[in-house]
Amino acid sequence: MALATRTDRRPSLARTVWDSSVGKKAVMAVSGIVMLLYLVVHMIGNLKIFFGPGEFDHYAHWLRTLGEPFMHYEWTLWLIRVVLVAAVVAHAVSAYQLSRRDLRARPSKYVHKKARASYATRTMRWGGVILGLFIVWHLLDLTTGTVHSGGFQEGHPYQNVVDTFSTWYGNVVYLVAMLALGLHVRHGFFSAAQTLGAGSRTRNRALRAVADVLALLLTAGFVAVPVGVMTGVVS
Amino acid sequence: MKLTLRVWRQKNADADGAMSTYEVDGVSPDMSFLEMLDTLNEELILKGEDPVAFDHDCREGICGACSLVINGDAHGPERTTTCQLHMRSFRDGDTLDIEPWRASAFPVIKDLVVDRSAFDRIIQAGGYITAPTGSAPEAHATPVPKPDADLAFEHAECIGCGACVAACPNGAAMLFTSAKVNHLNVLPQGAPERETRVLDMVAQMDEEGFGGCTLAGECATACPKGIPLTSITSMNKEWLRATRKVAKR
Ligand code: HEM
Ligand code: SF4
Ligand code: FES
């Protein structure tokens, strides 16, 4: 067939992705999944607190020696940190830009109000903001110790965690954030599957179920730690 | 039936609009929603007032011209077009709020009429196939597997009414665009422009100022033709595929 093919030059892959609402959403989905994978590992690691200070602190030390002797002390940990920061920044910037576009696209509201299904969208936006603030607080609390309640001790995470969850506000901040996380992952996981084209009529029911289970396990696993401290199981 | 209507009145694109209240009496349950509005307009004309402007053409649910948000629902409470909605869906004494599609890409021209030419420009960007003109080709020359034909047809049902945009909390045109992209992209006739079609139509959709998809699902609920939400997923997949292929060249 002698078809006239279009020969116009197209922008680079990165430009195409970042300039498109569909592409930017894919950036959000991929960065979200990177964070999600990290959180699953993080949650499982946290549960070691139930096996006492010896095991928990040793685990924390191991994280720093991960990859030795190929990697130097803490190299792997820093590599993970760089990837995570990149994911958080990419996620938050695309979330902000896409949300701005969405709000601009519907400036005037209907006079007749309905309880619209923007529930999920609003939860994602507010939940995202809560998670962003939480990440900052969490790092200042347990990684750098800047806002830590007790005397922060480098290399003694077990005691630091117990100190944090011995304050009422430490518990409140954490529980609210984990609730937000559960809701975010529940809609986010399913959303990401659609954004990346992995959903289909036959697969979506299973994807929703996986999202629910993932969100529930993640929230329950993270919440177990402050609950453990509050009930005295961890002290 | 006797009804109270609260209708969005707006003189022109630049004027501020507001809801105006009208009473209509003698409405038959067998009337279509548009016939009910015709009744109101006849009364308004007799009184020397400006009739309510609203879009309509075929009045049989196939052209996509009619476009009213009734009590907050695009095309009203039934899953059909406004012209195919009948007054038996309402009760004597009801108060109905009638508003235009609301989205910044669909500016109001007058009263309930909005400018939907943004959809035309999305179609112009890639919603066509490049085919040599002439007499119709022999139908069996290009075999199409039955499942593909069904899928294409399901998407071809989109009448371009814009209810999906009106219902979406983000004013997104993803359902419309995905219906048009998938319709042609699953067919062999659409294959030569498979990549450029999805890239250009999505780019035009962004250009027009529509929002993005947050999986609220309101579009598929409002769509009178039952275009499914998974169409958007298929379009996302096509877009990612096209981006990879075009970048490789
Ligand atoms: C910096 C903090 C965060 C902000 C501001 C934020 C914000 C958002 C927003 C606004 C959305 C879009 C919702 C929608 O379009 O319906 C979203 C989606 C998502 N988020 Fe987050 N979020 C944050 C943290 C996280 C974390 C920690 C995870 C990891 C579990 C995550 C995973 C996801 C996923 C998987 C999606 C779905 C992407 C898609 O729709 O394709 N987010 N986020
Ligand atoms: S997808 Fe449905 S609601 Fe949207 S324009 Fe097409 S027919 Fe109308
Ligand atoms: S007037 Fe043609 S679809 Fe309603």
Side-chain angles (χ1 to χ4, degrees), chain B residues 119 157-165 175-176 179 219 222-225 227:
Chain B
F119 269 13
E157 279 194 67
C158 167
I159 54 176
C161 62
C164 43
V165 176
L175 197 67
F176 165 77
C219 55
C223 174
K225 298 297 163 183
I227 305 295

Side-chain angles (χ1 to χ4, degrees), chain A residues 204-227:
Chain A
N204 276 359
R205 186 193 274 270
L207 281 170
R208 276 201 200 277
V210 172
D212 286 353
V213 170
L214 205 59
L216 207 67
L217 284 182
L218 214 51
T219 309
F222 276 125
V223 162
V225 178
V227 169

Side-chain angles (χ1 to χ4, degrees), chain A residues 25 101 106 111 114 116 194, chain B residues 72-73 99 166 210 213 233:
Chain A
K25 190 87 199 241
R101 156 178 278 278
R106 170 51 87 62
V111 175
K114 260 184 53 180
R116 290 188 171 269
Q194 309 308 313
Chain B
D73 290 318
E99 299 175 69
F210 290 106
C213 180
T233 311

Side-chain angles (χ1 to χ4, degrees), chain A residues 193-204:
Chain A
Q194 309 308 313
T195 303
L196 299 176
S200 74
R201 226 174 297 210
T202 44
R203 231 182 282 158
N204 276 359

Side-chain angles (χ1 to χ4, degrees), chain B residues 86-164:
Chain B
H86 289 84
M87 296 316 293
R88 52 182 168 268
S89 300
F90 303 96
R91 268 179 234 192
D92 188 32
D94 274 359
T95 298
L96 305 181
D97 288 340
I98 308 172
E99 299 175 69
W101 284 175
R102 291 205 186 280
S104 49
F106 284 168
V108 174
I109 298 169
K110 184 177 194 313
D111 296 340
L112 303 169
V113 179
V114 298
D115 178 0
R116 281 172 286 183
S117 53
F119 269 13
D120 299 339
R121 290 186 291 273
I122 293 177
I123 295 291
Q124 280 164 16
Y128 52 81
I129 61 163
T130 309
T133 52
S135 56
E138 208 278 315
H140 292 294
T142 314
V144 181
K146 175 80 164 90
D148 291 355
D150 287 348
L151 202 60
F153 190 77
E154 185 180 18
H155 289 114
E157 279 194 67
C158 167
I159 54 176
C161 62
C164 43

